[in-house]
């Protein structure tokens, strides 16, 4: 988890550096009075690298993903809850001898 | 809804506690979360925690929830003396509490003092007109006294106010099925499927009721719902697969001589038969011949 976190921080840093570099590049272009056609190629590479690192971190940091398919083994609904709001107490267990002798002190 | 992982967890904890491995509090919390009715175990392990003053003080404020849980379990196991003790302790700690008032009325119910319990519930309702738990207890009281039609009346009145309560719809459906009023039960199951369409057990119960009603239309619908159950469970529900085979053979019996577009129907039936055979070979190999003869007789009877 520490590794994923560090990678995420690194990705964010790379993205912010790319943004800062682009702003500097634009101000440089304003000085030389040229048109701003697009960011320079190394900024694009930085952006792609930052994207990959951030995505990897976003997928590894949260931990184990739970399955959502209803057919998967762990999501099978085995039983419905026993409807305790409608529970009645005069069932057949009333006539059975009480096997519980525990007392409360 | 108890999923498979949760059930395994509960069974594992139960085994662990039974062999003296500790973990009673986790077991009790899990039973409370999943709303299981394991009163004997809850009473045994709850008492073991409550009798031990060290463990009891370690719980802090959760002690009172435990008292409530163990009191209800004691009533279920017919240990009314224990339940009375617990409720007395709770009443001392929380006087004038509605929750404790409900428990006291529950105790009156368990002691078969129906009029006193009814009086207690009415007085609790005066303070709070729309308390769903008290309305449900009135239904349960009518059911316990054997007055099933009264229970149906109360439950219908309750559902007019609280239409979104799935447990109540399920209870009503089961009562109708027990009285063989299948059309009304089908209506209740339709409400359940509308509100929770991803639970295959409701589809299965609805399909069972439709199959019991009979008639060509109902059989077609039942087959559709057995198929949807199979879809939702990934083909692992044996009862749904059997349902498909039985519906197909019943439909063929009813439409004898009328050769409609039966290719699709027979394909579905043969697919489910193959799935059944595979399942039986894996899980109960000594019953495969029995299954084969049953399936053959279903196909032959058409």
């Amino acid at each position: 988890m520490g590794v994923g976190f560090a990678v995420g921080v690194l990705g964010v840093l790379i993205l912010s550096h790319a943004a800062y570099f682009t702003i500097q590049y634009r101000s440089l272009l304003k000085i030389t009075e040229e048109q701003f056609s697009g960011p320079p190629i190394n900024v694009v590479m930085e952006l792609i690298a930052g994207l990959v690192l951030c995505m990897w971190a976003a997928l590894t940091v949260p931990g184990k993903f739970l399955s959502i398919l209803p057919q998967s083994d762990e999501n099978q609904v085995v039983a419905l809850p026993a409807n305790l709001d409608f529970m009645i107490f005069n069932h057949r267990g009333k006539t059975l001898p009480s096997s519980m002798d525990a007392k409360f002190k | 809804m108890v999923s498979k992982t949760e059930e395994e967890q509960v069974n594992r904890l139960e085994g662990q506690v039974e062999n003296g491995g500790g973990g009673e509090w986790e077991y009790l919390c899990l039973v409370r979360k999943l709303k299981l009715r394991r009163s004997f175990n809850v009473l045994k392990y709850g008492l073991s925690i409550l009798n031990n003053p060290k463990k009891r003080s370690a719980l802090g404020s959760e002690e009172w929830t435990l008292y409530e849980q163990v009191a209800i379990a004691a009533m279920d196991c017919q240990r009314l003396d224990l339940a009375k003790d617990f409720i007395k302790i709770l009443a001392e700690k929380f006087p004038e509490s509605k929750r404790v008032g409900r428990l006291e009325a529950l105790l009156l119910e368990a002691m078969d003092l129906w009029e006193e319990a009814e009086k207690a519930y009415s007085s609790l309702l005066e303070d709070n007109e729309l308390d769903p738990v008290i309305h449900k207890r009135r239904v349960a009281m009518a059911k316990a006294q054997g007055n099933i039609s009264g229970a149906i009346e109360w439950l219908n009145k309750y559902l007019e106010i609280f239409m979104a309560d799935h447990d109540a719809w399920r209870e009503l459906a089961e009562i109708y099925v027990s009285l063989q009023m299948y059309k009304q039960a089908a209506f209740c199951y339709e409400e359940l499927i509308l509100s929770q369409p991803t639970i295959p057990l409701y589809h299965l119960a609805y399909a069972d009721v439709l199959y019991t009603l009979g008639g060509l239309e109902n059989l077609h619908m039942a087959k559709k719902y057995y198929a949807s159950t199979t879809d939702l469970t990934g083909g692992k529900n044996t009862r749904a697969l059997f349902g498909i085979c039985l519906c197909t053979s019943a439909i063929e019996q009813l439409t004898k001589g009328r050769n409609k577009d039966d290719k699709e129907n027979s394909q579905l039936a043969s697919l489910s038969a193959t799935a059944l055979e595979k399942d039986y070979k894996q899980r109960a190999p000594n019953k495969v011949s029995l299954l084969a003869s049953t399936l053959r007789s279903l196909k032959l009877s058409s």
Side-chain angles (χ1 to χ4, degrees):
Chain A
M1 213 223 82
V3 177
F5 203 60
V7 169
V9 168
L10 185 64
V12 167
L13 281 177
I14 289 182
L15 284 178
S16 42
H17 176 261
Y20 178 67
F21 194 80
T22 315
I23 295 173
Q24 265 199 322
Y25 180 67
R26 264 193 82 192
S27 50
L28 176 70
L29 284 185
K30 275 206 194 108
I31 296 176
T32 61
E33 286 179 7
E34 279 173 27
Q35 285 290 357
F36 179 71
S37 57
I41 189 78
N42 48 343
V43 173
V44 174
M45 303 291 288
E46 264 190 35
L47 283 175
I48 294 178
L51 171 71
V52 166
L53 286 177
C54 281
M55 268 188 36
W56 190 85
L59 290 175
T60 29
V61 166
K64 187 172 180 297
F65 285 104
L66 301 168
S67 69
I68 52 174
L69 290 174
Q71 303 93 300
S72 72
D73 244 353
E74 56 248 14
N75 282 348
Q76 295 272 3
V77 178
V78 165
L80 293 167
N83 234 348
L84 293 176
D85 289 325
F86 292 105
M87 176 163 62
I88 59 176
F89 298 115
N90 59 346
H91 45 70
R92 287 179 287 183
K94 220 164 137 166
T95 54
L96 292 174
S98 174
S99 46
M100 173 101 62
D101 293 323
K103 284 203 229 325
F104 178 56
K105 293 180 223 144
Chain B
M1 278 20 90
V2 186
S3 75
K4 199 157 164 190
T5 34
E6 286 166 347
E7 193 198 35
E8 280 170 19
Q9 215 179 350
V10 167
N11 289 337
R12 190 177 43 89
L13 268 175
E14 204 173 283
Q16 183 191 342
V17 181
E18 249 169 81
N19 298 335
E24 283 121 2
W25 177 240
E26 283 95 35
Y27 177 68
L28 290 169
C29 287
L30 198 54
V31 166
R32 193 162 3 124
K33 184 178 108 172
L34 298 174
K35 300 204 195 154
L36 299 172
R37 190 173 176 169
R38 310 228 171 157
S39 312
F40 191 73
N41 285 340
V42 166
L43 188 57
K44 195 160 74 167
Y45 304 134
L47 266 180
S48 75
I49 293 187
L50 290 173
N51 279 336
N52 185 340
K54 212 171 27 163
K55 281 194 213 172
R56 196 172 3 145
S57 49
L59 295 175
S61 58
E62 312 247 340
E63 185 186 347
W64 311 109
T65 336
L66 181 62
Y67 270 118
E68 190 186 16
Q69 191 182 6
V70 182
I72 298 182
M75 283 190 252
D76 210 11
C77 293
Q78 290 303 315
R79 290 299 307 272
L80 299 174
D81 48 343
L82 285 178
K84 234 185 283 206
D85 292 332
F86 292 136
I87 296 180
K88 204 159 48 175
I89 296 180
L90 276 172
E92 274 167 20
K93 171 76 182 177
F94 302 106
E96 304 288 333
S97 156
K98 276 202 207 75
R99 210 161 143 182
V100 178
R102 276 204 306 244
L103 271 180
E104 286 170 354
L106 203 60
L107 182 63
L108 289 172
E109 254 188 77
M111 296 200 283
D112 285 346
L113 300 168
W114 308 114
E115 277 105 36
E116 281 87 346
E118 176 66 46
K119 256 187 282 191
Y121 281 132
S122 324
S123 72
L124 280 170
L125 269 182
E126 268 166 25
D127 306 326
N128 186 359
E129 268 294 318
L130 290 178
D131 191 351
V133 181
I134 298 186
H135 285 278
K136 287 199 256 197
R137 284 320 305 171
R138 264 210 273 212
V139 174
M141 268 208 307
K143 202 168 71 156
Q145 290 169 281
N147 180 8
I148 304 259
S149 42
I152 294 183
E153 226 181 270
W154 280 118
L155 199 44
N156 274 321
K157 261 191 241 165
Y158 172 74
L159 280 170
E160 268 168 44
I161 311 176
F162 298 93
M163 258 182 263
D165 192 344
H166 320 133
D167 288 333
W169 279 115
R170 190 156 61 100
E171 187 68 28
L172 188 58
E174 285 174 11
I175 293 182
Y176 277 139
V177 165
S178 74
L179 292 174
Q180 298 185 334
M181 299 162 72
Y182 294 120
K183 278 213 191 68
Q184 288 90 330
F187 179 76
C188 297
Y189 278 124
E190 278 164 17
E191 289 278 338
L192 280 171
I193 296 183
L194 265 178
S195 55
Q196 292 177 312
T198 55
I199 298 185
L201 298 173
Y202 293 148
H203 292 249
L204 193 59
Y206 185 48
D208 281 340
V209 168
L210 284 174
Y211 181 69
T212 315
L213 274 173
L216 194 56
E217 287 244 352
N218 288 334
L219 285 174
H220 276 298
M221 289 283 285
K223 198 160 71 141
K224 284 206 188 93
Y225 276 98
Y226 279 128
S228 81
T229 313
T230 317
D231 189 21
L232 283 170
T233 57
K236 296 202 186 101
N237 195 321
T238 326
R239 197 183 165 113
L241 294 169
F242 267 121
I244 296 180
C245 299
L246 285 172
C247 280
T248 321
S249 92
I251 291 175
E252 276 176 13
Q253 266 198 322
L254 280 182
T255 64
K256 239 187 280 218
R258 280 183 264 161
N259 293 343
K260 286 202 315 183
D261 50 314
D262 276 338
K263 281 196 205 72
E264 198 183 291
N265 297 345
S266 51
Q267 210 181 26
L268 182 60
S270 56
L271 273 174
S272 53
T274 339
L276 272 172
E277 276 167 19
K278 207 164 61 163
D279 196 23
Y280 265 73
K281 269 201 201 97
Q282 212 183 6
R283 292 203 284 177
N286 47 342
K287 299 218 174 88
V288 176
S289 51
L290 190 60
L291 175 73
S293 59
T294 317
L295 288 174
R296 234 177 300 130
S297 72
L298 279 178
K299 289 191 190 115
L300 281 177
S301 66
S302 66

